[in-house]
Amino acid sequence: MREMLKFELRKLLRMKSLYVCAALIVLQSLLITSIMSGARVIIDDEVTKPAMWRSLLSSAEIIPIPLAIFASVYAVCDFSGETIKTILSKGYSRTQRYFSQLVMLLAVCVAYFLLCELSHIIFGAIYLTRIMRDDIWLNIILQLPIIIAYGVFFFGIASLFKGMGGAIATTVFLDVPILPLLFAFVNGSFRKQLDEAGIDLTDYWLRSMINSLDKIELTNKIIATALIGSAAYFIIFVAIGYLIARRREV
């Protein structure tokens, strides 16, 4: 397993998509802070500035699209590059390969999250000129399990494909237009039953979960939804990815 992890790490560090997607995160952070800087000039008061910092540091929602692209490329790279047969012929099992890739993917999720927050802090210090003093560490930290859940979701879905184009298109479209509409449709179809149970199904879509963290005060419901929802996505899609990895043809 250790040798497999070393192999995956070397492969990961050679992937251009890793750095391209990281650059996309930085560029999005720069764009957000530039827009906020313009708004700060128009509305320059001590109430607006802290709110901008809070919104900025709670803006990890810029990560999913670059992460979807990277996770899709990473999930299919062994098949598109036809290296999967070489890996298996060296005695590595499908289970070792899958969990080695999963560990690397989790590392990338954490790295992208830290890069995102660091970019926000740097560009925020440049453009907003005032460090936010409010305590929003919980808002920031709760974003990380959601980003990890996003990563395993994209990775599990992309594992169904062998081509990069289909994998990337599917993961991006699922995140942006398709699944949010599906959640809303199911929520509307079972409105009475869900209302009686006190559940709004749209709250459990990943993007809704991460957007809900941009609050001055987090309620117990928001915190529970972020933690339980992230754990559920993680367990379900790690299992799905594992089953696919065990059964897919090479």
Side-chain angles (χ1 to χ4, degrees):
M1 185 68 175
R2 182 181 299 178
E3 292 302 316
M4 191 68 214
L5 284 170
K6 289 180 180 178
F7 171 78
E8 288 296 333
L9 179 60
R10 290 193 296 269
K11 182 176 69 176
L12 181 70
L13 295 176
R14 294 192 187 104
M15 292 179 66
K16 293 180 181 178
S17 58
L18 176 70
Y19 306 102
V20 171
C21 292
L24 287 175
I25 292 171
V26 175
L27 288 174
Q28 288 181 92
S29 178
L30 176 60
L31 179 61
I32 289 174
T33 49
S34 299
I35 293 172
M36 287 185 176
S37 176
R40 182 183 62 81
V41 172
I42 297 172
I43 310 172
D44 192 7
D45 60 72
E46 293 303 307
V47 175
T48 304
K49 289 178 184 178
M52 286 181 176
W53 268 101
R54 182 183 300 108
S55 178
L56 179 63
L57 294 176
S58 301
S59 295
E61 70 266 15
I62 69 173
I63 300 176
I65 296 302
L67 183 57
I69 296 171
F70 171 76
S72 299
V73 172
Y74 190 45
V76 304
C77 63
D78 287 340
F79 291 90
S80 60
E82 297 185 353
T83 58
I84 182 65
K85 293 181 180 179
T86 303
I87 293 172
L88 296 178
S89 67
K90 288 184 177 181
Y92 298 115
S93 68
R94 294 170 182 264
T95 297
Q96 288 176 317
R97 174 185 169 272
Y98 174 73
F99 283 105
S100 296
Q101 281 197 310
L102 182 62
V103 169
M104 292 300 121
L105 177 70
L106 297 182
V108 171
C109 290
V110 174
Y112 278 178
F113 175 75
L114 295 175
L115 176 65
C116 173
E117 293 303 320
L118 181 62
S119 299
H120 287 339
I121 291 171
I122 292 172
F123 294 134
I126 294 171
Y127 288 101
L128 301 184
T129 69
R130 179 185 187 276
I131 299 299
M132 215 258 323
R133 297 175 182 174
D134 293 351
D135 184 10
I136 62 164
W137 286 109
L138 185 59
N139 303 61
I140 296 171
I141 293 169
L142 283 173
Q143 295 177 107
L144 180 55
I146 300 175
I147 294 302
I148 290 174
Y150 255 122
V152 296
F153 168 72
F154 293 139
F155 191 67
I157 296 299
S159 296
L160 292 167
F161 299 85
K162 292 186 178 180
M164 290 184 186
I168 293 172
T170 301
T171 53
V172 171
F173 274 95
L174 280 175
D175 177 49
V176 182
I178 298 177
L179 282 182
L181 290 176
L182 179 60
F183 271 65
F185 174 76
V186 174
N187 198 67
S189 301
F190 298 93
R191 171 65 65 183
K192 182 178 179 180
Q193 296 89 331
L194 291 172
D195 284 346
E196 290 176 353
I199 297 173
D200 186 347
L201 199 60
T202 57
D203 290 342
Y204 289 88
W205 174 232
L206 288 165
R207 193 166 289 273
S208 297
M209 288 162 53
I210 203 165
N211 287 338
S212 70
L213 297 176
D214 184 14
K215 306 287 184 184
I216 297 176
E217 294 183 5
L218 296 179
T219 64
N220 290 334
K221 181 181 179 182
I222 291 175
I223 295 172
T225 300
L227 293 176
I228 296 172
S230 298
Y233 276 97
F234 184 87
I235 293 169
I236 291 170
F237 285 97
V238 165
I240 288 174
Y242 176 67
L243 291 174
I244 293 171
R246 286 293 300 265
R247 298 176 182 276
R248 71 189 302 182
E249 297 180 359
V250 295

